[in-house]
Amino acid sequence: MAEGVRHGPNVPRVLKTNIPGATVSRLPIYLRCLNDLPASVNTCSSEQLGIIAGVKSAQVRKDLSYLGSYGVRGVGYNVADLSGQIKKALGLTRGYHVVIVGAGNLGSALAGYGGFGSWGFEVVGLVDVDPAKIGAIHHGVTIEPITNLEEICSQREVAIGIVATPSHAAQDVADRLAAAGVVSILNFAPTVLHVPDSVDVRRVDLSTELQILTFHLQNREEGAG
Amino acid sequence: MAEGVRHGPNVPRVLKTNIPGATVSRLPIYLRCLNDLPASVNTCSSEQLGIIAGVKSAQVRKDLSYLGSYGVRGVGYNVADLSGQIKKALGLTRGYHVVIVGAGNLGSALAGYGGFGSWGFEVVGLVDVDPAKIGAIHHGVTIEPITNLEEICSQREVAIGIVATPSHAAQDVADRLAAAGVVSILNFAPTVLHVPDSVDVRRVDLSTELQILTFHLQNREEGAG
DNA sequence: CGTTGTGAAGGTCTTCACAGCC
DNA sequence: GGCTGTGAAGACCTTCACAACG
C-alpha cells in the first residue's frame, strides 16, 4: 500500500471481499450518481448509470457484479437497494472520525467542506504548528496545537488523517499519525510519503494533475500542428 | 477523454509520443523527486529514484525508457538531464495560463497555492457568481464576475480551467469553458462532467478518496477480527 | 563491477458478445 | 423485448531476469 500506486497489484494482505481496486475507485462515483437521481426514479439500468457516470455499461455491470447480483434482468437496478449495497461494500454504514493536520488555506478549506457529513465523515480535530492560529475557529472547528495530535487521535478515535501541511512537514506528520494508530492517510502535500505497509496512503496532488493535463495538451497540439 | 477514466484505453486520437498513461501519471512524481534532491547530487540510479518515489526500480527504468535512453549504465541518470527530459515530455518547457472558477474556500485556497509558479502555471483569473465577492483580492488575484469568463479565457489565452464551484454549477461552467476553447479542465466539484471528446477532464474528489480509504479500512478490520 | 534497457512472462483491467432470465 | 451477469478475448500494465554496456 505504499504511495504512488493508485491501485497496483500490491493488494492488502488480508482481504475478505475480492473487489478489484479499479472497481473500488468507481464505486463512489456510482454512489454519487445514484444519490443525485431524482427521488422519483426507482430503477436504473447499467446503460443509464454508465452515461451519467461516464463509464461503459459493460463496465458498470461487471463492477456491480462484484457486490453480488442485485439487478433485475429486463428492468435494471433498484436505486435504493444498489445504493445500500455500495455503501456497505465501501464501509459507509458507520461513521469515521477525521483529523486535519495543517490549518493553512487548504486545511481550513477542507474543514469547511460540506460534503464530509453526508457520507458519515466527521472532522473531530484541526491542528497546526503556528501558535498564532491556536484557538481560532474555522468553519466550526477549533484549531489546536499539533503537539496534541497523538492525544486527539487516540482519545477521539480518529480513523483517517488528512495531511494539509507544507511538504517539508508532511513526512513527520505521517510518521506521527502512523505511530498514533491512524491507518488511513489522505495526503494533500506535494510529496511522496513513506509509511509502514499497514498504513494506506492516498495522494491528491494539484501539480501532478496539472502536469498530466499539459502532457495531453502538448500532444494534442503537436498532433494538430 | 471523458471523465471517470483515469487512463483508460480511450487514448487521445492523435498522439505523437507513445508514452503509456500509467507512465505519464508517474512522470510528475519523478520530476518532483529529482527536484527535491540536494543540489550536490548529480546522478541518481533507478533504484534510488524508485525508493524516494515509492516505485519499483524496474518500473522506473521502463518508464524512463519511453523518454529515450538517457541513463548511463553502471552509473545511473544525470539528474539535470533527466529532469529536463521529463519536463519536455510533459510539455513544461512553456508556461500555461490558468483560470479558477469559484472563489469559495477551495477556489481561494487554490489561488494561494504557491506551487503553481514553479512549474510554469500562472493564475490569470479568478471568477465567481457572487456580486459581493467581486473586486476582493485573494492572494494577489482579483475576483472578477463569472460573466467575464469567456472574455478572460480568450483574451488571456487560458489553457487550463479549474472548476471549484459547488457541484450544481459545475456542468454549466464546464460547458462555458469548453465553448470558450479551454481544452483542459481540472474538476474539484464532486460531480462527473460531460464534455466533448476534445476536452480533457481530470477529477479531484475528496469524498471519493475518503471512501476508497474506508473500503480498505473496513477490509483490514474484517481481516483482523 | 554496477546499472541500464528490454524481451518475455504474468497480472490486472476493459470490452465484447451472448446466454440466461424477468 | 430488454436487461443483467459473465466467460472469453484482448488491451494494458507491472515485474522479472538478464544481456549489453560504460
Side-chain angles (χ1 to χ4, degrees), chain A residues 204-222:
Chain A
V204 174
D205 186 338
L206 180 62
S207 293
T208 297
E209 298 300 325
L210 288 175
Q211 290 173 19
I212 295 171
L213 284 173
T214 61
F215 171 83
H216 293 305
L217 205 70
Q218 163 171 268
N219 281 30
R220 174 191 324 264
E221 282 169 2
E222 281 176 6

mmCIF file of all heavy atoms in Angstrom, chain A residues 204-222:
data_model
loop_
_atom_site.group_PDB
_atom_site.id
_atom_site.type_symbol
_atom_site.label_atom_id
_atom_site.label_comp_id
_atom_site.label_asym_id
_atom_site.label_seq_id
_atom_site.Cartn_x
_atom_site.Cartn_y
_atom_site.Cartn_z
ATOM 1 N N VAL A 204 -3.413 13.353 -3.167
ATOM 2 C CA VAL A 204 -4.164 14.276 -4.004
ATOM 3 C C VAL A 204 -3.217 15.433 -4.292
ATOM 4 O O VAL A 204 -2.811 16.147 -3.396
ATOM 5 C CB VAL A 204 -5.418 14.794 -3.280
ATOM 6 C CG1 VAL A 204 -6.107 15.853 -4.116
ATOM 7 C CG2 VAL A 204 -6.368 13.649 -2.982
ATOM 8 N N ASP A 205 -2.852 15.559 -5.558
ATOM 9 C CA ASP A 205 -1.755 16.470 -5.869
ATOM 10 C C ASP A 205 -2.085 17.349 -7.066
ATOM 11 O O ASP A 205 -2.142 16.891 -8.203
ATOM 12 C CB ASP A 205 -0.510 15.640 -6.131
ATOM 13 C CG ASP A 205 0.723 16.504 -6.316
ATOM 14 O OD1 ASP A 205 0.579 17.695 -6.650
ATOM 15 O OD2 ASP A 205 1.828 15.996 -6.118
ATOM 16 N N LEU A 206 -2.261 18.622 -6.769
ATOM 17 C CA LEU A 206 -2.628 19.586 -7.797
ATOM 18 C C LEU A 206 -1.597 19.656 -8.916
ATOM 19 O O LEU A 206 -1.946 19.602 -10.096
ATOM 20 C CB LEU A 206 -2.782 20.969 -7.151
ATOM 21 C CG LEU A 206 -3.167 22.102 -8.073
ATOM 22 C CD1 LEU A 206 -4.523 21.862 -8.693
ATOM 23 C CD2 LEU A 206 -3.159 23.421 -7.312
ATOM 24 N N SER A 207 -0.323 19.760 -8.560
ATOM 25 C CA SER A 207 0.716 19.881 -9.582
ATOM 26 C C SER A 207 0.725 18.688 -10.511
ATOM 27 O O SER A 207 0.828 18.818 -11.728
ATOM 28 C CB SER A 207 2.098 19.994 -8.937
ATOM 29 O OG SER A 207 2.205 21.184 -8.239
ATOM 30 N N THR A 208 0.643 17.512 -9.931
ATOM 31 C CA THR A 208 0.643 16.299 -10.739
ATOM 32 C C THR A 208 -0.501 16.322 -11.742
ATOM 33 O O THR A 208 -0.309 16.039 -12.932
ATOM 34 C CB THR A 208 0.512 15.063 -9.830
ATOM 35 O OG1 THR A 208 1.644 14.997 -8.987
ATOM 36 C CG2 THR A 208 0.424 13.793 -10.648
ATOM 37 N N GLU A 209 -1.683 16.672 -11.272
ATOM 38 C CA GLU A 209 -2.847 16.696 -12.162
ATOM 39 C C GLU A 209 -2.651 17.706 -13.285
ATOM 40 O O GLU A 209 -2.960 17.436 -14.443
ATOM 41 C CB GLU A 209 -4.110 17.029 -11.365
ATOM 42 C CG GLU A 209 -4.455 16.021 -10.288
ATOM 43 C CD GLU A 209 -4.706 14.623 -10.829
ATOM 44 O OE1 GLU A 209 -5.256 14.518 -11.941
ATOM 45 O OE2 GLU A 209 -4.337 13.650 -10.151
ATOM 46 N N LEU A 210 -2.152 18.871 -12.934
ATOM 47 C CA LEU A 210 -1.928 19.894 -13.961
ATOM 48 C C LEU A 210 -0.910 19.417 -14.986
ATOM 49 O O LEU A 210 -1.063 19.641 -16.186
ATOM 50 C CB LEU A 210 -1.446 21.197 -13.311
ATOM 51 C CG LEU A 210 -2.478 21.986 -12.513
ATOM 52 C CD1 LEU A 210 -1.825 23.178 -11.827
ATOM 53 C CD2 LEU A 210 -3.608 22.460 -13.423
ATOM 54 N N GLN A 211 0.106 18.722 -14.504
ATOM 55 C CA GLN A 211 1.152 18.281 -15.426
ATOM 56 C C GLN A 211 0.657 17.176 -16.351
ATOM 57 O O GLN A 211 1.084 17.078 -17.502
ATOM 58 C CB GLN A 211 2.387 17.833 -14.628
ATOM 59 C CG GLN A 211 3.075 19.017 -13.973
ATOM 60 C CD GLN A 211 4.203 18.626 -13.045
ATOM 61 O OE1 GLN A 211 4.729 17.524 -13.123
ATOM 62 N NE2 GLN A 211 4.581 19.519 -12.148
ATOM 63 N N ILE A 212 -0.239 16.366 -15.858
ATOM 64 C CA ILE A 212 -0.826 15.345 -16.727
ATOM 65 C C ILE A 212 -1.679 16.020 -17.796
ATOM 66 O O ILE A 212 -1.679 15.629 -18.968
ATOM 67 C CB ILE A 212 -1.647 14.330 -15.900
ATOM 68 C CG1 ILE A 212 -0.712 13.556 -14.971
ATOM 69 C CG2 ILE A 212 -2.405 13.376 -16.812
ATOM 70 C CD1 ILE A 212 -1.423 12.673 -13.959
ATOM 71 N N LEU A 213 -2.376 17.074 -17.399
ATOM 72 C CA LEU A 213 -3.163 17.828 -18.379
ATOM 73 C C LEU A 213 -2.267 18.446 -19.448
ATOM 74 O O LEU A 213 -2.593 18.411 -20.635
ATOM 75 C CB LEU A 213 -3.984 18.923 -17.683
ATOM 76 C CG LEU A 213 -5.233 18.476 -16.921
ATOM 77 C CD1 LEU A 213 -5.835 19.640 -16.153
ATOM 78 C CD2 LEU A 213 -6.266 17.888 -17.866
ATOM 79 N N THR A 214 -1.140 18.992 -19.033
ATOM 80 C CA THR A 214 -0.269 19.634 -20.026
ATOM 81 C C THR A 214 0.352 18.606 -20.968
ATOM 82 O O THR A 214 0.608 18.900 -22.127
ATOM 83 C CB THR A 214 0.853 20.480 -19.380
ATOM 84 O OG1 THR A 214 1.678 19.654 -18.579
ATOM 85 C CG2 THR A 214 0.260 21.600 -18.549
ATOM 86 N N PHE A 215 0.567 17.403 -20.471
ATOM 87 C CA PHE A 215 1.061 16.353 -21.368
ATOM 88 C C PHE A 215 0.093 16.159 -22.532
ATOM 89 O O PHE A 215 0.491 16.183 -23.693
ATOM 90 C CB PHE A 215 1.253 15.040 -20.619
ATOM 91 C CG PHE A 215 1.544 13.880 -21.527
ATOM 92 C CD1 PHE A 215 2.833 13.648 -21.975
ATOM 93 C CD2 PHE A 215 0.529 13.039 -21.956
ATOM 94 C CE1 PHE A 215 3.115 12.590 -22.837
ATOM 95 C CE2 PHE A 215 0.794 11.987 -22.813
ATOM 96 C CZ PHE A 215 2.091 11.767 -23.253
ATOM 97 N N HIS A 216 -1.180 15.998 -22.195
ATOM 98 C CA HIS A 216 -2.178 15.786 -23.249
ATOM 99 C C HIS A 216 -2.318 17.021 -24.122
ATOM 100 O O HIS A 216 -2.472 16.931 -25.330
ATOM 101 C CB HIS A 216 -3.526 15.425 -22.632
ATOM 102 C CG HIS A 216 -3.519 14.095 -21.954
ATOM 103 N ND1 HIS A 216 -3.148 12.943 -22.591
ATOM 104 C CD2 HIS A 216 -3.810 13.728 -20.686
ATOM 105 C CE1 HIS A 216 -3.228 11.921 -21.754
ATOM 106 N NE2 HIS A 216 -3.628 12.375 -20.585
ATOM 107 N N LEU A 217 -2.259 18.182 -23.480
ATOM 108 C CA LEU A 217 -2.361 19.446 -24.193
ATOM 109 C C LEU A 217 -1.270 19.535 -25.255
ATOM 110 O O LEU A 217 -1.532 19.835 -26.417
ATOM 111 C CB LEU A 217 -2.173 20.586 -23.174
ATOM 112 C CG LEU A 217 -2.768 21.928 -23.485
ATOM 113 C CD1 LEU A 217 -4.271 21.857 -23.410
ATOM 114 C CD2 LEU A 217 -2.257 22.954 -22.474
ATOM 115 N N GLN A 218 -0.065 19.246 -24.852
ATOM 116 C CA GLN A 218 1.064 19.314 -25.772
ATOM 117 C C GLN A 218 0.902 18.334 -26.915
ATOM 118 O O GLN A 218 1.150 18.655 -28.065
ATOM 119 C CB GLN A 218 2.353 19.023 -25.008
ATOM 120 C CG GLN A 218 3.517 18.671 -25.909
ATOM 121 C CD GLN A 218 4.818 18.598 -25.157
ATOM 122 O OE1 GLN A 218 5.522 19.579 -25.069
ATOM 123 N NE2 GLN A 218 5.133 17.445 -24.595
ATOM 124 N N ASN A 219 0.485 17.106 -26.587
ATOM 125 C CA ASN A 219 0.368 16.101 -27.627
ATOM 126 C C ASN A 219 -0.750 16.407 -28.596
ATOM 127 O O ASN A 219 -0.650 16.130 -29.780
ATOM 128 C CB ASN A 219 0.162 14.727 -26.998
ATOM 129 C CG ASN A 219 1.475 14.174 -26.499
ATOM 130 O OD1 ASN A 219 2.348 14.943 -26.120
ATOM 131 N ND2 ASN A 219 1.636 12.884 -26.554
ATOM 132 N N ARG A 220 -1.820 16.988 -28.077
ATOM 133 C CA ARG A 220 -2.897 17.399 -28.948
ATOM 134 C C ARG A 220 -2.393 18.447 -29.934
ATOM 135 O O ARG A 220 -2.652 18.362 -31.130
ATOM 136 C CB ARG A 220 -4.017 17.992 -28.106
ATOM 137 C CG ARG A 220 -5.156 18.599 -28.885
ATOM 138 C CD ARG A 220 -6.019 19.377 -27.926
ATOM 139 N NE ARG A 220 -6.081 18.691 -26.649
ATOM 140 C CZ ARG A 220 -7.061 17.881 -26.309
ATOM 141 N NH1 ARG A 220 -8.047 17.702 -27.123
ATOM 142 N NH2 ARG A 220 -7.049 17.291 -25.141
ATOM 143 N N GLU A 221 -1.679 19.425 -29.410
ATOM 144 C CA GLU A 221 -1.202 20.497 -30.275
ATOM 145 C C GLU A 221 -0.224 19.995 -31.326
ATOM 146 O O GLU A 221 -0.293 20.378 -32.478
ATOM 147 C CB GLU A 221 -0.556 21.607 -29.438
ATOM 148 C CG GLU A 221 -1.608 22.480 -28.777
ATOM 149 C CD GLU A 221 -1.022 23.411 -27.728
ATOM 150 O OE1 GLU A 221 0.198 23.403 -27.539
ATOM 151 O OE2 GLU A 221 -1.815 24.141 -27.100
ATOM 152 N N GLU A 222 0.648 19.097 -30.898
ATOM 153 C CA GLU A 222 1.585 18.520 -31.857
ATOM 154 C C GLU A 222 0.837 17.775 -32.952
ATOM 155 O O GLU A 222 1.173 17.859 -34.116
ATOM 156 C CB GLU A 222 2.545 17.556 -31.159
ATOM 157 C CG GLU A 222 3.654 18.282 -30.447
ATOM 158 C CD GLU A 222 4.556 17.328 -29.684
ATOM 159 O OE1 GLU A 222 4.373 16.113 -29.806
ATOM 160 O OE2 GLU A 222 5.439 17.814 -28.963
#
